[in-house]
């Protein structure tokens, strides 16, 4: 029976060399309501001892001195159902006060599988994850109640509606028939105005002829004299049928589609930005990518110690794609992962992206938008949100990480709130594979 079956709290193993980093991580775990089943130095720990502790989570303080030890512990760390949580030892040793409390809340949320990372007493963060389904419509009152108020109002206002001056509704006792056309109604009105009053003139003689009612032919009315202004129609001219156009297929030639493309039009790339909590998210993203991509993968995760060579070794263990450190003067190779240090930027050329020395580091605006993608993982810098949205507006594919493993979701949440793609690192890797995976049979993208 494992430890998780007996204890309802998560079982955690802490692997760190003795020192301030280990003390800070132990304090964070003590406030996270977990059971520490093992605390040891990875340089002296045996793989079997780690397996016998049956942990559910392993918290590792990363530093250069334990790289070889992690390779030796790889069989135990790769056990099914085991979750690894990495933290920079130098960063953990300097973490104090509010920053230490914030890190502890995110670590507790990761170990307990929830998203409550606010201090006690604060409201829950609103969820930006869209939920399927059509929203419920507002309640509709019965049809009779809706119409009843309008019918009463119409009845009250009926007497104030102005009547038509040309038409008067006949009285019920009158035998006058309602005209069925404008001509009949005008003739009837004119007959009434021409009839003499009985008390003013004498009755006509029996043999007097009563003039017929005047009839108006409105079809002959016109506003202008069209006959005077319209010129005589020209005599029809007989035209010979035009000859069918003919094409000289002997002079046709194929156009080189790539010849007219601007420099860098095909120099696309997948840029991944990360920070606090990024190593775990980056491992999950790279581990789920296919064995071949049509674009290079550029990774920039700011490290306080600048040990990007160690990051290359860590990601090479899980990535199916080759992982190497980017160097100035070399070209970004499609289907390979390039780890960018803080002073490496890119420039677009006709044959792809080239790395160059840049004190400001990677510039998002330097990527060709139509052929590039940008993924913001946990800890990405908020300063990258504006350029990322500008790149998306120009045609790039932009996504942000969501879920329990996102310790610092500020930048990723901002791009998701702006309408960009959201998902766990594995889900984002699947979307990237559907867009840029290379068919191994013929070497083309699907």
């Amino acid at each position: 029976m494992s430890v998780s079956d007996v204890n309802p709290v998560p079982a955690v193993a802490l692997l760190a060399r003795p020192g301030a980093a280990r003390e800070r991580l132990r304090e964070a775990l003590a406030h996270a309501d977990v059971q520490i089943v093992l605390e040891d130095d990875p340089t002296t720990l045996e793989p079997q001892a780690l397996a016998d502790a049956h942990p559910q989570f392993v918290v590792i303080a990363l530093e250069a001195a334990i790289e070889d030890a992690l390779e030796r512990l790889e069989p135990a760390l790769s056990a099914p159902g085991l979750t690894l949580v990495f933290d920079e030892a130098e960063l953990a040793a300097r973490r104090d006060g509010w920053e230490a409390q914030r890190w502890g809340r995110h670590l507790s949320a990761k170990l307990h599988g929830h998203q409550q990372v606010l201090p006690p007493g604060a409201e829950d963060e609103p969820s930006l994850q869209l939920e399927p389904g059509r929203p419920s419509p507002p309640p509709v009152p019965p049809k009779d109640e809706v119409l009843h108020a309008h019918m009463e109002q119409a009845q009250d206002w009926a007497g104030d509606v102005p009547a038509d001056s040309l038409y008067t509704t006949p009285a019920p006792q009158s035998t006058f028939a309602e005209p069925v056309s404008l001509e009949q109604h005008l003739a009837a009105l004119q007959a009434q105005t021409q009839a003499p009053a009985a008390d003013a003139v004498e009755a006509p003689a029996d043999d007097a002829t009563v003039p017929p009612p005047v009839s108006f032919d409105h079809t002959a009315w016109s506003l202008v004299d069209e006959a005077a202004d319209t010129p005589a129609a020209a005599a029809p001219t007989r035209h010979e049928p035009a000859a069918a156009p003919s094409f000289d297929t002997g002079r046709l030639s194929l156009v080189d589609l790539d010849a007219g493309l601007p420099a860098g039009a095909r120099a696309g790339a997948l840029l991944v930005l990360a920070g606090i909590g990024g190593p775990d998210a980056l491992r999950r993203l790279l581990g789920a990518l296919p064995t071949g991509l049509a674009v290079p993968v550029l990774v920039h995760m700011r490290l306080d110690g600048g040990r990007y060579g160690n990051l290359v070794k860590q990601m090479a263990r899980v990535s199916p794609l080759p992982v190497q450190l980017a160097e100035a003067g070399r070209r970004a190779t499609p289907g390979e992962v390039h780890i960018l240090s803080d002073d490496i930027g890119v420039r677009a050329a006709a044959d792809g992206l080239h790395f160059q020395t840049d004190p400001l580091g990677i510039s998002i605006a330097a990527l060709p938008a139509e052929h590039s993608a940008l993924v913001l993982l946990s800890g990405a810098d908020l300063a990258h949100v504006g350029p990322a949205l500008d790149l998306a507006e120009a045609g790039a594919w932009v996504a942000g990480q969501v879920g329990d493993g996102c310790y610092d979701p500020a930048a990723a949440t901002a791009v998701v709130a702006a309408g960009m793609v959201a998902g766990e690192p594995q889900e984002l890797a699947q979307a990237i594979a559907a867009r840029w995976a290379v068919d191994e049979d013929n070497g083309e993208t699907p």
Side-chain angles (χ1 to χ4, degrees):
M1 180 177 298
S2 64
V3 176
S4 60
D5 296 330
V6 178
N7 301 282
V9 296
V12 180
L14 174 59
L15 302 184
R17 292 203 307 162
R22 185 166 169 176
E23 297 294 332
R24 296 290 185 272
L25 291 176
R26 185 190 304 114
E27 293 174 1
L29 292 175
H31 291 86
D33 191 20
V34 299
Q35 181 185 10
I36 301 179
V37 297
L38 177 65
E39 179 179 343
D40 205 342
D41 186 349
T43 59
T44 60
L45 179 64
E46 294 297 330
Q48 188 59 40
L50 177 60
D52 293 340
H54 299 290
Q56 296 171 282
F57 298 87
V58 177
V59 179
I60 304 175
L62 286 176
E63 54 183 325
I66 68 170
E67 287 295 326
D68 295 336
L70 292 182
E71 294 183 2
R72 182 171 49 82
L73 295 174
E74 183 69 22
L77 295 176
S78 302
L82 187 62
T83 301
L84 305 181
V85 180
F86 294 93
D87 190 17
E88 289 288 334
E90 183 179 352
L91 182 61
R94 293 188 290 104
R95 193 179 294 126
D96 195 8
W98 176 87
E99 186 179 0
Q101 296 177 7
R102 178 175 176 271
W103 162 256
R105 291 194 300 269
H106 282 275
L107 179 61
S108 177
K110 173 70 174 180
L111 300 178
H112 288 277
H114 60 74
Q115 298 182 357
Q116 179 58 39
V117 296
L118 296 179
E123 297 181 356
D124 293 338
E125 293 181 337
S127 175
L128 297 177
Q129 190 71 15
L130 299 179
E131 297 181 357
R134 184 178 182 180
S136 302
V140 180
K143 185 176 181 181
D144 295 341
E145 296 183 5
V146 176
L147 298 178
H148 183 68
H150 298 286
M151 293 176 64
E152 289 184 350
Q153 187 179 30
Q155 187 175 3
D156 294 339
W157 291 356
D160 299 334
V161 177
D164 191 351
S165 59
L166 293 179
Y167 174 70
T168 303
T169 304
Q173 66 274 12
S174 176
T175 58
F176 179 77
E178 182 180 355
V180 295
S181 65
L182 177 63
E183 291 82 358
Q184 293 178 358
H185 186 54
L186 293 175
L189 290 177
Q190 186 166 357
Q192 293 177 6
T193 57
Q194 291 181 355
D199 56 353
V201 298
E202 297 181 354
D206 294 338
D207 56 352
T209 303
V210 178
V214 180
S215 176
F216 296 91
D217 183 9
H218 66 277
T219 60
W221 296 351
S222 64
L223 297 178
V224 295
D225 188 1
E226 297 178 356
D229 299 338
T230 304
T237 304
R238 183 176 180 182
H239 298 279
E240 295 294 334
S246 60
F247 298 94
D248 185 7
T249 59
R251 302 178 62 183
L252 296 179
S253 62
L254 297 177
V255 178
D256 186 3
L257 297 179
D258 294 334
L261 292 176
R266 295 293 183 184
L270 166 62
L271 175 60
V272 182
L273 302 175
I276 298 178
D280 182 54
L282 187 59
R283 285 166 56 97
R284 294 158 60 191
L285 176 71
L286 297 182
L289 290 178
T291 56
L293 286 179
V295 293
V297 180
L298 312 182
V299 176
H300 180 252
M301 184 174 67
R302 187 175 298 276
L303 300 177
D304 291 341
R307 295 185 296 272
Y308 292 99
N310 296 339
L311 184 61
V312 171
K313 296 179 181 179
Q314 296 173 22
M315 297 304 123
R317 298 192 187 103
V318 297
S319 174
L321 301 175
V323 182
Q324 57 183 326
L325 188 64
E327 298 180 6
R330 294 192 176 183
R331 187 174 69 92
T333 305
E336 295 186 3
V337 179
H338 302 271
I339 305 297
L340 306 178
S341 56
D342 295 338
D343 59 349
I344 291 294
V346 296
R347 64 176 179 85
D351 59 342
L353 292 177
H354 290 255
F355 300 116
Q356 62 182 5
T357 302
D358 190 339
L360 301 178
I362 183 66
S363 173
I364 296 177
L367 299 177
E370 296 183 1
H371 303 282
S372 297
L374 181 61
V375 176
L376 281 74
L377 298 179
S378 174
D381 195 343
L382 273 173
H384 292 147
V385 173
L389 297 180
D390 293 340
L391 197 71
E393 186 176 357
W397 185 87
V398 178
Q401 178 189 356
V402 296
D404 299 339
C406 195
Y407 295 111
D408 186 4
T413 302
V415 297
V416 171
M420 302 297 104
V421 180
E424 295 275 0
Q426 297 91 328
E427 297 172 344
L428 299 180
Q430 294 175 2
I432 294 169
R435 186 179 180 92
W436 282 296
V438 175
D439 188 354
E440 297 181 355
D441 295 336
N442 51 25
E444 298 179 354
T445 55

